Amino acid sequence: MTAPIAPATTSASPAPADPPGTPPAPAGARLPRRGSSRAGRTLHAGPLAYGILIVAVLFSAFPFYWTIVAASRSNADLAKVPPTLLPGPNLIRNFEAVLEEADIGKALLNSLIVSGSITLGTVLCCTLAGFAFAKLRFRGRGALLAITIGTMMIPPQLGVIPLFMLIAELGWVNQLQAVILPGLVSAFGVFFMRQYLVQSLPDELIEAARVDGASTARIFWSIVVPIARPGMAVLGLLTFMAAWNDFFWPVVALTSSEPTVQVALRQLGGGYVHDQSVIMAGTLLGTLPVLLVFGLLGRQIVGGIMQGAVKG
């Protein structure tokens, strides 16, 4: 006698029943699928959002456009009411006047040396300090971090006299290292990189590297630096802009024989009536390197912003 054949069963498991006490869905209602999520849905901006963005871009770009217009016009054109809003033919002539009135070539080179050195030193030192405060355990870490952040509350003007006395004792007056060395580390940079590494650097990576026998220096160069590259790019751009636009300390420590761009611009447009077109032409020359640096680091900056905005 043959055994009775059991009924075939499907591999699909029945859907779980609703918990007790759940009210029944109304007739004709569309029930959401289990496991569906709205997180992956693409959001599209409407006409209002695009209009606001266009207005914001125009307001942001207008000062730079006006700098180009003023640099290509004469002083008489700028005095007209209403002023002209179209570029003129005097851009090359005003550039030549800038080169005659100030040693702008040497000033650009000095500013590039000063800003580049400060940027490299700040990014490296602040990343090292930020890694130490974020992931290393040592005695007095909290107190040292509090003191570092507390220095941001001290106005920099209070340290000008003691700092000038120090560089005078070292014989660095009117030398570029007098401007470079005081700016190699910033409290803001240390705090910025510390916060970035706390969020972006998992502790598991450091523990795995320790298990593999990696030293702290190897962990920093092989793990921390690749992860912190977007944050370093943002800090580098902010530091370069601050060092390039700094006027107060360079005008104290340097003279007209070794100027930076901001110190050299002070010599433009002299006379009883200041030639605003020549001043704006010099300002345009001083702005172009900052735009170049932003173009080189823009992708890293956008990547850092997106990485900080999306959590996986």
Side-chain angles (χ1 to χ4, degrees):
M1 173 179 277
T2 60
I5 300 176
T9 59
T10 59
S11 58
S13 58
D18 294 333
T22 302
R30 187 175 181 181
L31 298 179
R33 293 181 298 174
R34 294 184 180 275
S36 62
S37 174
R38 301 176 59 183
R41 182 176 300 177
T42 303
L43 299 179
H44 298 279
L48 179 60
Y50 281 110
I52 294 175
L53 290 176
I54 291 173
V55 172
V57 169
L58 292 178
F59 271 101
S60 301
F62 182 77
F64 181 70
Y65 175 75
W66 174 249
T67 302
I68 298 176
V69 173
S72 60
R73 291 284 179 174
S74 63
N75 211 27
D77 293 337
L78 299 181
K80 293 180 179 179
V81 178
T84 180
L85 297 179
L86 296 177
N90 298 332
L91 183 61
I92 303 300
R93 185 185 306 170
N94 290 333
F95 282 162
E96 294 175 352
V98 170
L99 296 177
E100 293 176 359
E101 295 183 16
D103 194 357
I104 198 68
K106 186 175 183 179
L108 287 172
L109 180 60
N110 289 341
S111 289
L112 184 61
I113 295 174
V114 170
S115 302
S117 302
I118 291 177
T119 300
L120 292 177
T122 299
V123 170
L124 178 60
C125 296
C126 291
T127 304
L128 282 167
F131 168 61
F133 282 125
K135 298 300 178 180
L136 299 184
R137 301 292 182 266
F138 56 91
R139 183 175 300 176
R141 184 182 66 168
L144 289 176
L145 181 60
I147 294 174
T148 302
I149 298 175
T151 58
M152 298 171 61
M153 305 177 185
I154 302 176
Q157 290 80 5
L158 295 180
V160 169
I161 295 178
L163 185 58
F164 185 81
M165 294 174 62
L166 177 61
I167 66 170
E169 289 291 334
L170 296 175
W172 289 354
V173 178
N174 198 28
Q175 298 184 18
L176 296 183
Q177 59 262 33
V179 182
I180 294 174
L181 292 182
L184 288 181
V185 181
S186 67
F188 168 77
V190 173
F191 179 73
F192 177 84
M193 293 307 303
R194 187 258 179 191
Q195 295 300 109
Y196 185 88
L197 292 175
V198 165
Q199 298 294 331
S200 303
L201 181 60
D203 294 335
E204 291 77 8
L205 286 179
I206 300 178
E207 294 173 0
R210 295 289 190 192
V211 171
D212 292 339
S215 62
T216 302
R218 179 65 182 274
I219 292 173
F220 177 78
W221 290 112
S222 300
I223 297 178
V224 176
V225 171
I227 292 177
R229 189 176 293 116
M232 295 168 67
V234 176
L235 178 61
L237 177 63
L238 297 177
T239 304
F240 185 88
M241 291 180 60
W244 187 273
N245 296 326
D246 188 18
F247 173 78
F248 182 69
W249 177 241
V251 80
V252 173
L254 303 177
T255 62
S256 58
S257 61
E258 288 290 339
T260 58
V261 169
Q262 310 305 325
V263 178
L265 291 179
R266 187 184 58 168
Q267 306 173 13
L268 298 178
Y272 184 76
V273 177
H274 296 289
D275 195 342
Q276 299 295 332
S277 60
V278 175
I279 296 175
M280 299 305 289
T283 304
L284 181 61
L285 286 176
T287 307
L288 294 179
V290 179
L291 297 179
L292 178 61
V293 171
F294 181 81
L296 294 176
L297 300 180
R299 182 175 300 179
Q300 292 289 336
I301 294 171
V302 174
I305 294 174
M306 296 303 297
Q307 182 176 349
V310 180
K311 295 183 180 179

